[in-house]
Amino acid sequence: MKSKAMSAKQLLVVLSAVLVGGIFAACGTPAAAPQVVRETVVVQATQVVRETVVVEGTPQVVERVVTATPEPTSAPPSAGEPIENVRISINSKLTAPDAHKQMGLGAFMLQYLVGGQLFRLNPDFSVTPYLAEGYEVSDDGLTYTVKLKPDLKFSDGSPITAEDVVYTFTRSTELKNPRNLQLGPLESVTAVDPQTVEFKLTQPFPNLLIGLADAGFSIYPKAALEADPDYFAKGPFVSAGQYVLSDWTPGASEWTVSENPEFFGGPSMVKNVTFVAVPDQTSRVLQVTTGAIDYAYDLPASARQDFPEEVKTFAVPILGMYNVNFNLERAKGQPWGDPKVRQAISLAIDRQAIQDRAFFGISPAAEGFLYKGPPEWIGVLPNGGKQDLEAAKALLAETDWPNGGFGFSIQPWGQRPGWTDAATIIKENLAGLGIEVTVEPKTDADAIANLNAGNYDAQFSGNTQDPLSMLKNQFAEGGTWTKWSRYNNPEVTKALVDAGFAADQKTRIELFHKAQELAYGDMVFIPISERVVLVASRIPRNILCEANLLPGYNPRIATVQEFTDGSGPCK
Amino acid sequence: MSTHQMAKLPSRSRFDAVAFGMGIIQNRIVSRLLRSLLVGFGVMTIAFFLLRLVPGDPVQLLLGDTGTPELVEAYRQMLGLDGTLPEQYLRYLGSVMQGDLGTSINSSVSVNTIIARSLPVTLWLIAVTIVLALALALPLSIAAAIYQRTWFGHTFRVASSILLATPVFYSGLLLLLLFAIQLKVAPVAGYRTTFPTNLNYLWLPALVLCGVMVPITARVLQSSVIDTLDQEFVETAVVRGLGRLTFTWRYLLRPSLAPTISLLGYMIGQLLSAAVVVELVFNLPGIGTSLIVEGVLLRDYPVVQGIVLVFGMIVVIVSFLSDLVSGWLDPRTQT
């Protein structure tokens, strides 16, 4: 008995040692935990090259400056071989794949891949015909005539006709699609002939084409949808886009899209794409690190240096801005109710520090209310948005609070990576003006509830839209953010409304710039930096581009992706 | 039935006594079922009204900054969120009575479907956890009872205290780093529904949940075994020289298990709440992930109400079953 008891003891000793050893091993090596924070700077090699050239028969030595940006080292050249399946992890499940209802990220991405819209957007907010072959605008700017590409087919082989386009927009109106706002003063959509559709407006609205490129207006097959009232609950789905939703059940955390054999731009480099909903960011990082997933979307910027060599990270601008937005109702009688105080606050904010420390170098510091690129942009922030503490102090000295001595709270939307850190940096910056900031992170639900109830001094928030929609939403009467900030400046509203309806591009841009300059005077929104999402991929860049697998949060802008390696957008 | 109760029935035949006993059991079952229904109704009502006290409008959250007042109103009507609170409650109650838990505000998917998809994952996780926990707790507790005054007994007490004090999200991350990242013997996230492939995704989360289960069950079982060891029938069994297996099961474990089984019934609630966190850490598409990610964060009232109702019913049913099993294992607990 004794010897048996001893062996049991020995066994227990061994088991305990293994357990304790396991725990120590787990604690011991940091592995891929995103703890290390480093900054990445796009490396450009600049060199002076001496060349000998022949000018009019005489050899001359000239100096030329060459700037080269290295190609991503681990992206192998395209072998031209199609890939059978790519696995992508994103943060949300696929809600009902109906573009005419409010969609989550999963559905947005889906619409980008399976949805065939009439147009797609270019980086400069011009449009490229997609299902459309071209369009004409009447002289009065009230009628847009869109011609479809010849011989277009849905994935089931049925032809895509003007009737389907009319049905799509009629259904969208009936279902109160939230994205109908993108269509402006649209009065009617009619089929002129099987290949031609006419959009009639009550007022000129140049942004109509941007609206037609919206994911909310994927063209649907009239016959299939009318034949089955439960079409979007179970399929089989018919697509006018690059892929077709081939495997999905409501509530499932995985779904697959497969190549549409009838797609006008086919064949695709990637035959199947499987999406996996993984809500936790760290898990998405680990998945792509271990190779369980090929491509992960929306990752913490702090993790970008911790991926293995074969995983490349890209920053995907989602055409939006991070702002500090004030509640003017609460601001009444408070120091920060004075626009000069808010301008001083803006001058005191170190946007570069926020870009470096909160967003780890992926979100360019703001110079105006819009992201750079579109002609509507204007750099309204003094000093290019760079911190100028002396100017801030001088401006504050012109107010009743020359030395600060007051405080307010900022509510960052705490679930978003970097937002609370950014608010904390602002708190540090404003301490230099004698302003005490309290940072109170809120969940998205609480933050929106507070916006509605006016239960906030200021928030660190984000907005993502095309220039007109974003500026109207923030500054014009009727805009949701305008309502939330309790802001009202009729001059700004008029400038933006007029800009929206201006048929002449020069006048339009002037009005946009005027509106932003006026809005700077009020400073109800302090722009901080551009909104960018980090993605990590094991798939080479060229294949990602070729397969259109770089969707942003807003798939209307899917062609605008920039790469942190400086290689520019997909061509 | 105890000898004490039998003594109260001197005039009844043995058959009558058995029938009487069955009647008592039936009454207890009916009474417990009625209580379960009442608890379910209470949970449903409290969940309904508490949710609406929490700040955050699901329609505003759904529409974000595209939510004009007209659109918000239209969506409220479409989603059945218009009308007064009592009206909404009566509508909800009517649907639940018909077995319809509503439709998710965010995903437009039926809550019944969401639960039907996610509940099996959670039940699998809990089942694997219980099996693993019992496999670990039984030998540990017996050994700790037998060697209670040795180094092993002391180590057991200290280790179980440490495990109890460690939050599951922390131990989950540690084990994820060890087994999934370092050793690469477990996936970092995801799930497969087919058996036995799903066990590959479940064993590690179950091991984390064992950190909650094993210390408690092992300690309770250890203390029961210590009590049992003092019983005379154990000495008799030792004197009779029974085989080790028969002795351990019939004379040591079976009389000691009843409190543990009862405890398991009560621990199911704790296990479910720990499972919510573990599912998030391991990204298992279980009911906990649905509750937090699809329900609470998005203020998706029907999803939260449906899941809370199911949680409540699971706790009630399991504690009821554990009472029955405890009674079977040790008739003394029925008195």
Side-chain angles (χ1 to χ4, degrees):
Chain A
M1 280 295 281
K2 193 177 177 187
S3 66
K4 282 183 183 175
M6 286 299 286
S7 65
K9 271 187 183 177
Q10 285 165 348
L11 183 67
L12 287 168
V13 170
V14 171
L15 283 174
S16 307
V18 169
L19 192 66
V20 172
I23 290 169
F24 276 113
C27 302
T29 319
Q35 299 294 327
V36 182
V37 171
R38 273 168 271 159
E39 183 193 350
T40 292
V41 177
V42 175
V43 177
Q44 287 191 322
T46 303
Q47 203 176 353
V48 177
V49 179
R50 284 198 168 81
E51 287 180 342
T52 303
V53 294
V54 177
V55 180
E56 293 176 357
T58 312
Q60 294 181 4
V61 176
V62 296
E63 286 185 351
R64 188 163 64 87
V65 177
V66 178
T67 303
T69 303
E71 279 293 312
T73 51
S74 77
S78 170
E81 290 293 318
I83 295 177
E84 194 52 38
N85 192 38
V86 166
R87 285 171 66 82
I88 296 180
S89 69
I90 62 170
N91 63 7
S92 65
K93 286 183 183 177
L94 176 59
T95 51
D98 185 348
H100 296 159
K101 292 184 176 170
Q102 185 67 345
M103 296 176 281
L105 176 60
F108 260 125
M109 285 192 167
L110 183 85
Q111 290 308 326
Y112 170 59
L113 290 172
V114 308
Q117 297 85 30
L118 293 174
F119 299 93
R120 287 271 164 102
L121 274 185
N122 297 321
D124 62 354
F125 280 86
S126 62
V127 293
T128 297
Y130 197 62
L131 294 185
E133 187 177 47
Y135 69 96
E136 285 176 7
V137 190
S138 64
D139 291 342
D140 58 6
L142 295 176
T143 306
Y144 284 69
T145 307
V146 178
K147 199 155 186 68
L148 294 175
K149 282 189 168 77
D151 304 321
L152 283 177
K153 284 180 181 169
F154 286 110
S155 55
D156 63 353
S158 61
I160 300 174
T161 67
E163 278 301 322
D164 296 307
V165 178
V166 173
Y167 171 76
T168 296
F169 285 92
T170 308
R171 184 177 181 272
S172 177
T173 306
E174 286 169 356
L175 290 181
K176 298 189 190 312
N177 180 357
R179 310 196 74 76
N180 287 342
L181 289 171
Q182 302 289 333
L183 302 176
L186 180 66
E187 187 179 35
S188 66
V189 185
T190 48
V192 177
D193 62 50
Q195 292 296 111
T196 314
V197 190
E198 202 171 76
F199 294 83
K200 278 198 179 294
L201 301 164
T202 55
Q203 279 180 282
F205 186 64
N207 257 39
L208 176 73
L209 294 172
I210 295 176
L212 296 181
D214 194 290
F217 305 111
S218 300
I219 304 303
Y220 284 138
K222 181 183 179 187
L225 265 71
E226 284 188 339
D228 184 357
D230 288 332
Y231 176 87
F232 284 107
K234 54 184 173 52
F237 299 101
V238 178
S239 164
Q242 186 178 1
Y243 291 91
V244 60
L245 181 58
S246 54
D247 182 17
W248 172 71
T249 45
S253 53
E254 277 197 25
W255 59 97
T256 300
V257 298
S258 303
E259 184 183 24
N260 172 6
E262 304 288 351
F263 178 53
F264 65 86
S268 175
M269 276 297 285
V270 176
K271 299 300 173 192
N272 301 283
V273 184
T274 299
F275 285 88
V276 187
V278 179
D280 180 54
Q281 284 192 326
T282 309
S283 296
R284 293 200 294 278
V285 170
L286 294 178
Q287 280 184 315
V288 79
T289 301
T290 57
I293 282 290
D294 302 310
Y295 176 102
Y297 182 80
D298 193 7
L299 305 173
S302 54
R304 64 187 303 199
Q305 292 302 300
D306 298 310
F307 290 105
E309 177 104 0
E310 64 274 19
V311 175
K312 294 295 164 196
T313 58
F314 307 108
V316 181
I318 56 173
L319 300 197
M321 298 295 292
Y322 295 120
N323 300 303
V324 172
N325 57 297
F326 285 90
N327 175 2
L328 295 189
E329 189 66 38
R330 275 266 188 105
K332 278 180 188 165
Q334 300 289 341
W336 68 91
D338 183 341
K340 273 192 178 173
V341 171
R342 295 197 294 271
Q343 286 170 0
I345 288 172
S346 173
L347 283 166
I349 292 174
D350 187 349
R351 292 176 175 81
Q352 192 56 45
I354 291 172
Q355 141 87 330
D356 295 341
R357 288 163 53 197
F359 298 117
F360 297 91
I362 68 167
S363 294
E367 294 181 38
F369 290 113
L370 288 172
Y371 35 83
K372 267 186 170 176
E376 290 88 344
W377 177 88
I378 180 172
V380 290
L381 295 180
N383 200 26
K386 290 187 181 68
Q387 185 187 38
D388 190 343
L389 214 49
E390 291 313 308
K393 283 177 179 169
L395 197 58
L396 203 61
E398 295 173 18
T399 71
D400 294 339
W401 300 271
N403 300 312
F406 60 89
F408 62 90
S409 69
I410 296 181
Q411 299 176 355
W413 295 30
Q415 292 161 294
R416 316 292 181 95
W419 293 30
T420 301
D421 303 318
T424 307
I425 293 167
I426 292 170
K427 174 192 166 92
E428 290 169 10
N429 295 157
L430 297 192
L433 288 184
I435 300 172
E436 191 180 336
V437 171
T438 316
V439 178
E440 298 172 351
K442 300 287 174 193
T443 63
D444 288 12
D446 288 342
I448 289 185
N450 288 346
L451 285 169
N452 277 306
N455 189 21
Y456 71 101
D457 296 336
Q459 286 196 345
F460 186 92
S461 59
N463 199 353
T464 303
Q465 278 171 323
D466 62 86
L468 175 64
S469 305
M470 192 157 112
L471 291 174
K472 281 179 80 173
N473 205 341
Q474 284 182 189
F475 300 123
E477 191 182 352
T480 306
W481 281 101
T482 319
K483 187 185 74 181
W484 284 340
S485 55
R486 279 76 182 166
Y487 174 63
N488 181 21
N489 184 337
E491 264 193 286
V492 178
T493 299
K494 185 174 183 320
L496 287 172
V497 170
D498 290 348
F501 294 138
D504 173 54
Q505 177 71 354
K506 188 168 175 287
T507 311
R508 180 181 155 84
I509 297 305
E510 280 172 2
L511 285 165
F512 269 117
H513 290 178
K514 179 186 173 191
Q516 291 171 82
E517 281 159 355
L518 287 168
Y520 176 77
D522 296 330
M523 211 57 189
V524 65
F525 278 78
I526 297 179
I528 303 297
S529 55
E530 298 184 15
R531 290 188 74 173
V532 174
V533 162
L534 184 73
V535 302
S537 173
R538 289 175 166 270
I539 308 289
R541 174 192 183 278
N542 53 345
I543 293 175
L544 288 175
C545 282
E546 209 165 328
N548 286 328
L549 285 179
L550 279 167
Y553 180 72
N554 185 342
R556 292 186 302 112
I557 52 163
T559 54
V560 199
Q561 284 83 24
E562 294 284 350
F563 293 81
T564 42
D565 59 14
S567 51
C570 293
K571 298 289 185 294
Chain B
M1 175 163 291
S2 70
T3 50
H4 176 68
Q5 280 174 315
M6 290 290 283
K8 278 183 176 175
L9 308 163
S11 61
R12 289 176 184 273
S13 68
R14 187 162 179 79
F15 177 79
D16 286 343
V18 170
F20 180 74
M22 291 300 290
I24 289 176
I25 290 172
Q26 280 173 357
N27 283 345
R28 286 185 62 185
I29 291 175
V30 171
S31 143
R32 287 300 300 264
L33 280 176
L34 282 174
R35 274 166 58 191
S36 304
L37 283 176
L38 269 178
V39 169
F41 177 77
V43 166
M44 184 181 70
T45 307
I46 290 170
F48 182 92
F49 287 103
L50 268 185
L51 265 175
R52 278 148 178 88
L53 290 178
V54 178
D57 180 348
V59 177
Q60 282 285 1
L61 201 53
L62 177 71
L63 294 172
D65 55 13
T66 60
T68 60
E70 303 78 37
L71 203 58
V72 168
E73 196 48 45
Y75 264 69
R76 277 195 207 294
Q77 281 179 13
M78 275 196 285
L79 298 166
L81 293 171
D82 54 333
T84 62
L85 218 54
E87 282 170 357
Q88 288 182 43
Y89 179 67
L90 288 177
R91 272 205 302 266
Y92 177 62
L93 201 59
S95 302
V96 172
M97 292 298 180
Q98 293 167 35
D100 176 11
L101 295 175
T103 303
S104 161
I105 292 170
N106 185 53
S107 67
S108 307
V109 176
S110 148
V111 176
N112 294 34
T113 307
I114 291 174
I115 292 174
R117 287 201 70 85
S118 53
L119 187 60
V121 181
T122 305
L123 292 182
W124 263 108
L125 176 61
I126 288 175
V128 174
T129 302
I130 290 175
V131 170
L132 206 57
L134 288 178
L136 290 170
L138 286 178
L140 273 177
S141 55
I142 292 170
I146 292 171
Y147 305 111
Q148 59 173 315
R149 298 193 197 291
T150 66
W151 64 269
F152 179 77
H154 299 307
T155 309
F156 170 77
R157 276 193 297 279
V158 172
S160 58
S161 298
I162 291 172
L163 274 176
L164 269 177
T166 310
V168 286
F169 69 84
Y170 181 68
S171 52
L173 285 174
L174 280 183
L175 292 185
L176 197 64
L177 279 175
L178 173 65
F179 290 107
I181 307 297
Q182 298 283 3
L183 303 176
K184 298 189 192 303
V185 292
V188 289
Y191 187 67
R192 289 280 179 278
T193 50
T194 48
F195 177 80
T197 316
N198 61 344
L199 297 182
N200 186 38
Y201 293 84
L202 289 171
W203 71 266
L204 192 54
L207 193 63
V208 174
L209 284 176
C210 281
V212 179
M213 286 278 292
V214 171
I216 298 175
T217 48
R219 274 190 174 191
V220 170
L221 194 55
Q222 181 207 19
S223 131
S224 301
V225 171
I226 289 170
D227 286 347
T228 308
L229 281 170
D230 289 339
Q231 301 289 320
E232 286 180 7
F233 62 83
V234 175
E235 282 183 38
T236 312
V238 173
V239 171
R240 284 171 61 192
L242 290 174
R244 174 171 284 219
L245 202 63
T246 312
F247 170 77
T248 308
W249 167 243
R250 190 179 292 172
Y251 287 85
L252 208 56
L253 262 184
R254 190 173 160 178
S256 311
L257 268 179
T260 310
I261 299 294
S262 298
L263 181 74
L264 276 181
Y266 291 110
M267 275 194 72
I268 207 77
Q270 201 181 347
L271 201 55
L272 276 171
S273 55
V276 169
V277 179
V278 169
E279 282 177 11
L280 284 175
V281 171
F282 288 89
N283 278 281
L284 290 174
I287 206 160
T289 306
S290 298
L291 175 68
I292 302 296
V293 177
E294 295 174 49
V296 175
L297 290 178
L298 297 171
R299 300 290 189 271
D300 200 328
Y301 295 156
V303 172
V304 179
Q305 286 162 194
I307 292 176
V308 169
L309 178 63
V310 169
F311 268 25
M313 295 313 292
I314 289 174
V315 171
V316 168
I317 290 167
V318 172
S319 57
F320 172 55
L321 289 176
S322 72
D323 279 0
L324 289 181
V325 175
S326 299
W328 170 72
L329 282 169
D330 187 354
R332 289 173 300 178
T333 58
Q334 288 189 353
T335 58

